């Protein structure tokens, strides 16, 4: 299935799911707005400091493009780390974003492993962004602990994820091995790697996050959201 969906490692057949897609654009804008708001608050509060934003599982850069554009006005105050477990994605992203946004750095990174073991200072980031990636990890408890290990106390985690099991996704990306990597069925929506909003709140609280906010379609009840942007703050020690 992976060879069919991504022939020769190409993203061409699924590119429209990530770009020029109304639903994808809506949630990417939400992510960018949340990151931008936190960066603005940080730069006003700490006028001599640089804000560090760390994106995990950046993939093809579909969400990254929106975030970097929103941060361009404060380029001199930003350090943006573009990371993915796949070195091929990181290598492809550097010419795409590196010249236009020189405050961006690129590195391979596995969110299921500790920051120090991968060359990054623990508790040094102000924002961690994870768009449509955390559900592909084995145990959400471990994954969120490692997200927390990246963040300074008071830093924010911005998550963009599907929050309902949809047949469309099961019959497409459900054909790939990564969809079924999870080992903690009790934490996920039955028959999928996804978490519903209440499962996200519970998991984030257990991992040392508080003030979790859910952003999605206006006027939709929390439990009815098919996709959400969730913003949670790393609790003070």
């Amino acid at each position: 299935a992976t060879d069919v969906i991504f022939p020769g490692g190409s993203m061409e057949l699924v590119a429209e799911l990530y770009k020029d897609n109304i639903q994808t654009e809506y949630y990417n804008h939400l992510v960018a707005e949340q990151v931008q708001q936190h960066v603005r608050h940080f730069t006003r509060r700490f006028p001599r400091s640089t804000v560090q934003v760390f994106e995990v599982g950046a993939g093809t850069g579909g969400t990254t493009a929106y975030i970097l554009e929103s941060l361009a006005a404060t380029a001199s105050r930003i350090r943006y780390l573009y990371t993915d477990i796949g070195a091929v994605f990181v290598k492809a992203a550097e010419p795409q974003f590196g010249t236009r946004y020189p405050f961006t750095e690129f590195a391979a990174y596995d969110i299921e492993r500790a920051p120090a073991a991968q060359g990054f200072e623990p508790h040094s980031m102000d924002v961690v962004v994870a768009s449509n990636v955390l559900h592909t990890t084995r145990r959400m408890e471990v994954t969120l602990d490692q997200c927390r290990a990246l963040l300074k106390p008071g830093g924010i985690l911005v998550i963009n994820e599907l929050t309902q099991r949809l047949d469309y996704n099961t019959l497409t990306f459900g054909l790939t091995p990564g969809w079924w990597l999870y080992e903690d069925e009790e934490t996920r929506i039955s028959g999928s790697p996804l978490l519903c909003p209440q499962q996200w709140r519970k998991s984030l609280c257990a991992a040392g996050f508080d003030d979790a906010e859910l952003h999605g379609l206006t006027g939709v009840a929390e439990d009815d959201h098919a996709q959400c942007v969730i913003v949670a703050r790393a609790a003070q020690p």
Side-chain angles (χ1 to χ4, degrees):
T2 304
D3 292 338
V4 173
I5 299 171
F6 308 102
S10 170
M11 298 290 293
E12 184 176 356
L13 296 182
V14 296
E16 291 185 6
L17 292 175
Y18 301 97
K19 298 178 181 178
D20 302 321
N21 175 299
I22 292 173
Q23 178 175 330
T24 301
E25 288 184 356
Y26 178 81
Y27 290 99
N28 283 338
H29 276 299
L30 280 182
V31 171
E33 287 172 5
Q34 293 302 315
V35 176
Q36 184 187 51
Q37 286 178 20
H38 188 79
V39 168
R40 283 179 175 171
H41 175 75
F42 179 96
T43 54
R44 289 170 183 163
R45 185 179 178 188
F46 304 105
R48 297 171 185 260
S49 299
T50 297
V51 59
Q52 300 200 86
V53 181
F54 195 102
E55 184 177 2
V56 301
T60 61
T63 301
T64 313
Y66 290 81
I67 300 173
L68 292 178
E69 183 178 355
S70 75
L71 299 179
T74 51
S76 63
R77 303 286 308 281
I78 301 288
R79 181 192 182 207
Y80 194 96
L81 292 112
Y82 182 111
T83 77
D84 194 277
I85 194 171
V88 65
F89 288 126
V90 176
K91 186 176 180 180
E94 192 159 0
Q96 181 182 358
F97 297 116
T99 302
R100 185 174 180 184
Y101 303 105
F103 55 87
T104 307
E105 300 175 21
F106 304 86
Y109 190 82
D110 180 358
I111 191 53
E112 295 185 82
R113 296 173 53 218
Q118 301 179 76
F120 291 94
E121 187 73 26
H123 305 297
S124 62
M125 301 298 158
D126 300 288
V127 181
V128 170
V129 180
S131 186
N132 294 307
V133 64
L134 298 188
H135 69 269
T136 66
T137 59
R138 290 173 175 80
R139 303 197 67 84
M140 194 56 65
E141 177 184 6
V142 173
T143 299
L144 293 178
D145 281 346
Q146 298 304 345
C147 288
R148 177 69 183 83
L150 280 167
L151 283 164
K152 298 175 182 177
I156 63 168
L157 173 61
V158 182
I159 301 168
N160 177 23
E161 282 281 359
L162 296 169
T163 49
Q164 283 185 9
R165 185 187 66 207
L166 303 174
D167 291 344
Y168 171 78
N169 295 312
T170 306
L171 292 170
T172 51
F173 294 109
L175 298 175
T176 64
W179 191 258
W180 306 104
L181 278 178
Y182 64 97
E183 300 170 351
D184 51 352
E185 294 185 19
E186 70 283 358
T187 303
R188 317 291 178 118
I189 297 172
S190 178
S192 86
L194 307 174
L195 284 73
C196 71
Q198 287 304 315
Q199 288 170 324
W200 276 116
R201 289 188 185 278
K202 183 178 179 180
S203 295
L204 286 163
C205 180
F209 291 90
D210 53 24
D211 300 330
E213 300 175 356
L214 186 146
H215 303 269
L217 295 175
T218 304
V220 176
E222 181 170 296
D223 291 339
D224 294 334
H225 283 285
Q227 185 169 350
C228 300
V229 172
I230 303 165
V231 182
R233 191 172 301 276
Q236 299 286 343

